[in-house]
Amino acid sequence: MRFYLATKGECDFVINTIERKSMIRIAIAGFQHETNTFAPGETTLDQFTRQGSWPALTRGKEIFQVFEGLNIPISGFIDSSKAQLHPIVWAMAEPGGYVSDDAFDEISNEIVDGIKRIQPDAAYLDLHGAMVTHQFDDGEAEILRRIKDAMGEDFPVAISLDLHANISSQLFELANVITIYRTYPHVDFFETGARAAQLLEFEMKWGLAKSFRQVDFLIPITAQSTEYEPAKSIYHEILQVKCTSVDLAMGFPPADIPSCGASIVAYDPVLEEADAKADYILQLITGAEAKFDPKLVSAKSAILQASSLAGPVIIADPQDNPGAGGTGDTTGILRALIEAEVTDAVMAVLHDPASAKAAKEAGIDADLALFLGGRERFYSEPMSANVRVIALSDGKFTCTGPVAGGSKADLGTMARLQIKNTGIQVVVGSHRCQNWDQEFFRVVGIEPADHHIICVKSAVHFIADYKSISDKIFFAISPGANLCDLSQIPFSRLRPNLRF
Ligand SMILES: [Zn+2]
């Protein structure tokens, strides 16, 4: 016998080492999507197949090689589990509009068919928790329903979820155990997968009672960061809670579904203990309701304040964050920078495959007249600009920051463009991706720390890597699909009495 520490601050579990090495067989898979039901277009199978700033769709034993050592939940599960693991498929797409029925059925069926073929003792799924299709408000619950249909109600399924999960009571009931990221920016993907392995093991050996609470108000995305109060203290408290497991999902607001919002899951051998811990965290978050400040300012004000400070200063464009379903091509902040006549600003990444292609064809040092961004035309028009091509890239690089360090990214053809007669440079790319790593600039030769104003199409994740060069950060309001001012979101299907 030996003691096994589940995670810092939690209980020590006695695990029989010999039993751990018994041939328990666990099927593992991943299917991640954060669906912004207000974003234009569908998320198609093609988007789940290709590489972004995470691995491309991966099948079978190749999962062991591709995910080894990465900061991804399934990597942590593989590392921590002592069971015999049977990988099926892993797929993720950049957050966006409803997942298409084709994509959902194709990948879900592959997971369910794989489990039926393998006939394991249990399954682990690396999920997000905010997947919506036209048929299913809770895509993840439907996947678990299909698995339980195929394998029986008693078949144990562990899942790990994103801190932005919108957990329905159905998903909570179907999942035997759930673990959730405890950081935003998410730097604990790996640990969350590892905790799922430990919790599943506990559940299979001894059984766990579980408790679920939904928070009755929505929390704006930019107010959810664990870098700031009150989330910082609440998650610190979660780490101190002595029980088998308690986790808090902050929810993903731009999702017009009844389960939208924050929730708490707790697991303990004793139901009263699970209930007590869930209630304790519920009380903490409810007591902090008035302190969740989205910190939003107008683009004009952000630029004015940034210009008056010593650089570097970071201006985030949270409403056009591709990592929350933004089109990544809006030009609001770019126009505001030009209007303000700033003398030294860099921006990445404007999703604009056509401009990237034109720049590549024209070559370095070429002068071009382009229409930048605004391709989707949902939130802004293309911006007419005369530019010089400073650098080009195939968009393939390895991330180095705390969120995605070690992951290979592919943003397609990229170009660094100097807007003529201004001090503004903009990086255009061909794949829609959130800028959460300084390598998004470095790939075209820009060292962000060398510039006065750094503009990033990201809501919060950028902080993990960019805080090493500046803590002067503004969250600027500019048109986009990820509405951060909750009063502006045209909800119609939230559950009654949910405050926002
Ligand atoms: Zn998230």
Side-chain angles (χ1 to χ4, degrees):
M1 303 281 277
R2 69 185 175 90
F3 283 94
Y4 187 78
L5 186 65
T7 191
K8 190 170 179 290
E10 293 182 343
C11 302
D12 290 344
F13 303 138
V14 180
I15 303 288
N16 184 309
T17 309
I18 295 166
E19 276 184 54
R20 284 168 60 85
K21 290 187 187 303
S22 68
M23 296 302 280
I24 288 174
R25 300 167 69 244
I26 299 177
I28 59 171
F31 186 15
Q32 282 230 19
H33 193 253
E34 182 179 72
T35 305
N36 178 334
T37 65
F38 300 98
E42 282 192 327
T43 304
T44 59
L45 186 59
D46 171 59
Q47 294 175 55
F48 281 100
T49 305
R50 71 173 179 228
Q51 186 182 347
S53 50
W54 57 87
L57 186 144
T58 311
R59 292 193 167 90
K61 290 203 167 17
E62 208 186 331
I63 286 174
F64 290 135
Q65 282 110 52
V66 170
F67 288 84
E68 187 179 7
L70 295 182
N71 185 22
I72 292 181
I74 200 169
S75 307
F77 190 93
I78 292 168
D79 185 73
S80 184
S81 177
K82 299 296 184 290
Q84 188 184 98
L85 301 180
H86 296 261
I88 301 171
V89 64
W90 188 95
M92 178 177 177
E94 189 78 11
Y98 286 93
V99 173
S100 73
D101 291 341
D102 280 358
F104 181 76
D105 284 335
E106 181 94 11
I107 299 169
S108 301
N109 289 346
E110 190 167 342
I111 293 171
V112 177
D113 291 347
I115 292 172
K116 277 157 66 178
R117 187 181 65 249
I118 294 161
Q119 289 293 309
D121 300 302
Y124 159 71
L125 303 182
D126 173 0
L127 304 174
H128 183 289
M131 184 189 295
V132 187
T133 76
H134 291 293
Q135 285 191 61
F136 305 111
D137 282 340
D138 185 338
E140 286 87 356
E142 177 59 18
I143 297 167
L144 264 67
R145 191 192 64 73
R146 292 180 186 185
I147 292 172
K148 298 260 174 169
D149 263 8
M151 300 297 289
E153 263 182 45
D154 295 336
F155 179 72
V157 181
I159 62 175
S160 58
L161 299 177
D162 193 286
L163 175 143
H164 297 108
N166 290 321
I167 303 174
S168 68
S169 53
Q170 192 192 11
L171 180 63
F172 169 73
E173 289 302 333
L174 286 162
N176 292 69
V177 293
I178 300 174
T179 58
I180 301 170
Y181 312 155
R182 292 168 170 175
T183 56
Y184 183 35
H186 309 325
V187 293
D188 64 335
F189 297 120
F190 184 95
E191 284 170 37
T192 307
R195 287 193 289 115
Q198 294 156 10
L199 204 56
L200 175 60
E201 188 173 306
F202 197 103
E203 157 77 347
M204 291 176 75
K205 282 176 187 295
W206 292 291
L208 287 166
K210 58 186 186 179
S211 188
F212 179 59
R213 300 285 185 271
Q214 283 180 307
V215 178
D216 55 11
F217 60 92
L218 292 181
I219 304 165
I221 288 263
T222 50
Q224 296 179 354
S225 175
T226 54
E227 295 284 320
Y228 305 118
E229 295 298 349
K232 189 175 184 174
S233 292
I234 293 170
Y235 279 89
H236 178 76
E237 201 59 27
I238 285 173
L239 289 174
Q240 310 310 312
V241 169
K242 302 284 182 194
C243 82
T244 306
S245 180
V246 62
D247 269 317
L248 164 67
M250 286 281 195
F252 183 60
D256 199 12
I257 52 173
S259 60
C260 184
S263 58
I264 297 148
V265 294
Y267 300 89
D268 193 281
V270 180
L271 178 60
E272 288 73 18
E273 284 293 313
D275 282 342
K277 302 309 189 270
D279 285 335
Y280 174 58
I281 301 302
L282 180 64
Q283 181 199 325
L284 284 183
I285 193 165
T286 303
E289 180 175 357
K291 295 179 188 157
F292 285 102
D293 175 9
K295 298 178 273 295
L296 300 169
V297 294
S298 71
K300 194 173 174 180
S301 167
I303 292 166
L304 198 65
Q305 292 182 70
S307 298
S308 70
L309 296 169
V313 183
I314 301 167
I315 297 179
D317 188 358
Q319 299 210 130
D320 193 33
N321 168 24
T327 52
D329 72 339
T330 68
T331 53
I333 291 181
L334 195 53
R335 288 174 198 271
L337 287 168
I338 291 169
E339 233 167 70
E341 299 181 352
V342 302
T343 53
D344 180 17
V346 289
M347 170 183 282
V349 173
L350 188 72
H351 179 231
D352 189 345
S355 292
K357 184 169 180 273
K360 186 182 175 185
E361 284 170 2
I364 291 172
D365 290 337
D367 291 329
L368 289 171
L370 292 175
F371 285 99
L372 291 174
R375 303 285 166 186
E376 299 279 356
R377 291 181 185 262
F378 281 95
Y379 307 101
S380 67
E381 292 293 313
M383 192 190 85
S384 169
N386 293 314
V387 303
R388 173 160 293 176
V389 182
I390 306 294
L392 294 164
S393 167
D394 64 1
K396 292 183 169 61
F397 58 92
T398 302
C399 296
T400 54
V403 174
S407 285
K408 292 189 181 351
D410 180 358
L411 270 61
T413 301
M414 298 178 77
R416 170 181 171 186
L417 306 173
Q418 171 81 48
I419 299 179
K420 300 283 282 282
N421 305 316
T422 76
I424 300 160
Q425 297 182 61
V426 57
V427 180
V428 294
S430 300
H431 296 166
R432 197 173 57 88
C433 270
Q434 169 173 205
N435 181 346
W436 58 12
D437 198 290
Q438 293 186 58
E439 299 302 325
F440 280 56
F441 281 108
R442 292 180 182 137
V443 66
V444 287
I446 295 173
E447 184 55 48
D450 293 343
H451 295 274
H452 188 184
I453 297 178
I454 304 163
C455 297
V456 291
K457 288 207 179 274
S458 173
V460 168
H461 279 313
F462 72 91
I463 297 171
D465 196 21
Y466 289 82
K467 72 178 178 184
S468 64
I469 54 175
S470 181
D471 61 357
K472 297 168 200 162
I473 295 170
F474 294 96
F475 300 91
I477 285 285
S478 172
N482 178 35
L483 291 170
C484 295
D485 177 352
L486 300 181
S487 68
Q488 299 299 307
I489 304 183
F491 292 116
S492 64
R493 301 187 56 235
L494 299 180
R495 60 186 180 274
N497 306 319
L498 185 66
R499 297 189 297 280
F500 61 90

